[in-house]
Amino acid sequence: MSICVGNLDSLASKWHLEHFDEEERAAWEDLATTRRFQPVTMTAMLDELLGMGFSSMAVARLVDVPVSQVQRWRTVDAWMLAERFRVADLLATCDLLKSRFGCEDPAGWFETPLVPGCVVDMAEIYCAGRFGLVMDLASGRESRESVLDAYDPEW
């Protein structure tokens, strides 16, 4: 399940499940609103993610669609509104990672295991709706181990 199913209120409720910085939340909501309603095609948004280094498989995982759907967006600009919003939300998250936290490679950051020998990565935590933990690690408020402990105490 992805963190957003079509409206900011659903994501905002996820923020309340974690400790977070209100300023980060406001910044993300501004970025997400802008990204959701910008006059660009889904293909252009997908191209931006692929240009950041995300694979089609990673995009599919992060926005909760089959890989075939991501491939379809490359050739036909046909999508559901909830899908567009999830892609826009991922772009907003990447924008926040780059602008506030200096993350130059969001794709790599999402796909790197939290600790050596563990298969859990930030993409899994993002997909599980634990957006506050994503921001906690990105901001440096929490260590990789403490984020992993909060996500899965039996890792």
Side-chain angles (χ1 to χ4, degrees):
M1 182 174 125
S2 64
I3 65 168
C4 186
V5 293
N7 64 54
L8 289 174
D9 292 337
S10 67
L11 183 64
S13 68
K14 302 272 186 201
W15 282 91
H16 292 292
L17 300 175
E18 312 283 352
H19 298 287
F20 65 91
D21 180 280
E22 284 288 337
E23 194 174 312
E24 287 167 11
R25 176 184 174 187
W28 185 89
E29 286 179 348
D30 287 346
L31 289 167
T33 300
T34 300
R35 285 290 194 169
R36 286 177 173 197
F37 299 106
Q38 66 185 351
V40 299
T41 65
M42 182 69 116
T43 304
M45 291 195 302
L46 179 59
D47 286 345
E48 188 173 349
L49 287 169
L50 295 175
M52 286 183 208
F54 286 98
S55 66
S56 293
M57 187 178 292
V59 172
R61 177 182 177 200
L62 288 161
V63 299
D64 195 25
V65 297
V67 175
S68 61
Q69 182 67 13
V70 173
Q71 293 166 340
R72 191 172 311 124
W73 294 335
R74 302 246 350 157
T75 58
V76 180
D77 198 33
W79 40 267
M80 295 179 8
L81 187 60
E83 294 170 342
R84 180 181 173 86
F85 281 4
R86 289 193 304 263
V87 170
D89 291 350
L90 178 56
L91 281 166
T93 302
C94 291
D95 290 345
L96 191 65
L97 288 170
K98 290 190 288 187
S99 66
R100 282 188 81 95
F101 306 121
C103 179
E104 295 180 19
D105 180 19
W109 187 84
F110 270 111
E111 294 178 354
T112 302
L114 283 171
V115 296
C118 183
V119 297
V120 177
D121 56 19
M122 288 314 294
E124 180 176 330
I125 293 172
Y126 179 91
C127 292
R130 303 295 299 273
F131 195 69
L133 290 176
V134 173
M135 292 296 105
D136 283 345
L137 181 61
S139 68
R141 285 189 298 271
E142 298 289 340
S143 69
R144 291 178 172 276
E145 291 81 7
S146 63
V147 167
L148 193 52
D149 285 341
Y151 176 67
D152 181 6
E154 297 182 21
W155 62 275

